[in-house]
Amino acid sequence: MFLEMALPLWKNLLQTTKKRILQQRWLSLYNGAHGYEEELVKKKLQQFSGGSVNLSKEDNGIGILTLNNPKLMNAFTGTMIVELQERVTELENWKDGKGLIIHGAGNTFCSGSDLNAVKEMSNSQDGMNMCMFMQNTLTRLMSLLCRLPLISVALVQGKAFGGGAELTTACDFRLMTPGNEIRFVHKHMGLVPGWGGAARLVRIVGSGAALQLLGGAARVDPERALRLGLSEETLPSSDETTALGEARAWLNQYTEGPTTVIRAVKKVVTAGRELPLEAALRTEKDIFGTVWGGPANLQALDRRPKQK
């Protein structure tokens, strides 16, 4: 009886919420109204080739995103920036995904932007276009308005400098390995973060600590990262393969369970972080409606002993 009553409600609310999320899905921070022409920016970026951004999707719902340009400490070339956007689109379309680990090949994370490309794009407009492109991509990675409901982890091995440090802030969690560091070196390049790293860093560690890290271009080792709340844990191993296995095990404690429930958890947390309170409450209500009376909920009720 309970199942017969709940399923129609669940299906109706699921469809309503799906429509709402799909309407939000392709919104960008920047578009033509801001003087931003994405296809033109892509063409410019693709002139600077090298490296790759690879994605593997495992049967347990964990995606592994690998920055692969070890000769340049996984610095982002123009084509890698475009490929990152493409991989994010793949993840948005992955219905069975629950979690994501971002790491770098060759036992280091990312040293920021390829300086060869930076020199060729040193005029203000090119810089602004790259800034808008990466902010759009990393905002999608962060699940603004629930577009990518995966629980994400940056596995920091070796160096995470400049844009690499910014990329870590676009993840829900950061794990570090012994002897490694995160460093916002932008000041030494005569810059400030442009990929959204400053705004996200303030939300993670607070304005005072963010000012110290940005203003001092300070080295953040695993111990300091733990104290600041920039990192969740220091993994035991510095070996690339072993550390990746440890990161999988760490993430599994949050992604174990039905995909619909894990994705719903991520959505309500994202809504609470990104939206005004009233909008967050309405979104939470809608998402609650997609799991109430759903398969995982009904199975859990069947497993519970009946109340007397």
Side-chain angles (χ1 to χ4, degrees), residues 114-154:
D114 177 8
L115 295 182
N116 294 318
V118 170
K119 289 177 183 177
E120 293 295 326
M121 299 177 65
S122 59
N123 69 76
S124 178
Q125 189 57 55
D126 282 342
M128 290 287 285
N129 285 337
M130 182 174 67
C131 168
M132 290 187 283
F133 190 94
M134 282 297 280
Q135 283 193 13
N136 275 351
T137 299
L138 296 184
T139 296
R140 286 167 61 188
L141 183 66
M142 280 194 74
S143 308
L144 184 68
L145 296 178
C146 310
R147 287 176 298 202
L148 180 59
L150 306 181
I151 298 175
S152 58
V153 173

Side-chain angles (χ1 to χ4, degrees), residues 246-297:
E246 292 169 350
R248 281 191 185 93
W250 188 91
L251 181 57
N252 187 62
Q253 65 186 313
Y254 302 110
T255 59
E256 187 175 8
T259 302
T260 53
V261 177
I262 303 305
R263 291 166 73 96
V265 168
K266 176 62 188 285
K267 289 174 184 178
V268 296
V269 171
T270 301
R273 180 187 66 211
E274 303 291 347
L275 299 176
L277 179 58
E278 290 186 3
L281 290 171
R282 288 193 295 269
T283 301
E284 183 174 320
K285 177 263 298 179
D286 290 343
I287 295 168
F288 174 81
T290 69
V291 291
W292 173 268
N297 179 223

Side-chain angles (χ1 to χ4, degrees), residues 118 186-193:
V118 170
H186 304 76
K187 186 183 80 168
H188 294 324
M189 299 296 295
L191 295 170
V192 297

Side-chain angles (χ1 to χ4, degrees), residues 140-299:
R140 286 167 61 188
L141 183 66
M142 280 194 74
S143 308
L144 184 68
L145 296 178
C146 310
R147 287 176 298 202
L148 180 59
L150 306 181
I151 298 175
S152 58
V153 173
L155 172 57
V156 180
Q157 298 170 271
K159 313 296 184 184
F161 283 176
E166 292 192 65
L167 178 57
T168 71
T169 67
C171 295
D172 297 306
F173 302 113
R174 284 144 297 280
L175 301 175
M176 298 184 72
T177 57
N180 300 318
E181 63 181 293
I182 299 172
R183 193 171 185 182
F184 296 84
V185 297
H186 304 76
K187 186 183 80 168
H188 294 324
M189 299 296 295
L191 295 170
V192 297
W195 296 356
R200 294 188 297 267
L201 183 64
V202 168
R203 293 181 178 220
I204 295 168
V205 301
S207 59
L211 189 57
Q212 291 176 8
L213 298 187
L214 296 177
R219 177 179 180 270
V220 184
D221 60 19
E223 293 75 19
R224 186 174 185 182
L226 284 171
R227 291 197 304 271
L228 290 172
L230 185 58
S231 170
E232 274 62 47
E233 189 169 318
T234 304
L235 299 176
S237 178
S238 294
D239 174 74
E240 181 177 359
T241 303
T242 305
L244 187 56
E246 292 169 350
R248 281 191 185 93
W250 188 91
L251 181 57
N252 187 62
Q253 65 186 313
Y254 302 110
T255 59
E256 187 175 8
T259 302
T260 53
V261 177
I262 303 305
R263 291 166 73 96
V265 168
K266 176 62 188 285
K267 289 174 184 178
V268 296
V269 171
T270 301
R273 180 187 66 211
E274 303 291 347
L275 299 176
L277 179 58
E278 290 186 3
L281 290 171
R282 288 193 295 269
T283 301
E284 183 174 320
K285 177 263 298 179
D286 290 343
I287 295 168
F288 174 81
T290 69
V291 291
W292 173 268
N297 179 223
L298 296 176
Q299 289 172 13

Side-chain angles (χ1 to χ4, degrees), residues 36 38 41-53 65 67-69 74-89 110 112-115 117-118 121 126-127 129-138 140 163 167 195:
Y36 173 69
E38 183 168 282
V41 177
K42 280 186 180 181
K43 286 182 180 180
K44 180 74 173 183
L45 290 169
Q46 287 169 334
Q47 296 175 22
F48 309 102
S49 61
S52 62
V53 179
L65 188 75
L67 309 178
N68 188 14
N69 191 14
N74 299 321
F76 272 99
T77 63
T79 53
M80 286 176 68
I81 290 173
V82 174
E83 285 185 19
L84 178 63
Q85 185 199 60
E86 293 170 351
R87 300 295 87 79
V88 170
T89 299
C110 175
S113 298
D114 177 8
L115 295 182
V118 170
M121 299 177 65
D126 282 342
N129 285 337
M130 182 174 67
C131 168
M132 290 187 283
F133 190 94
M134 282 297 280
Q135 283 193 13
N136 275 351
T137 299
L138 296 184
R140 286 167 61 188
L167 178 57
W195 296 356

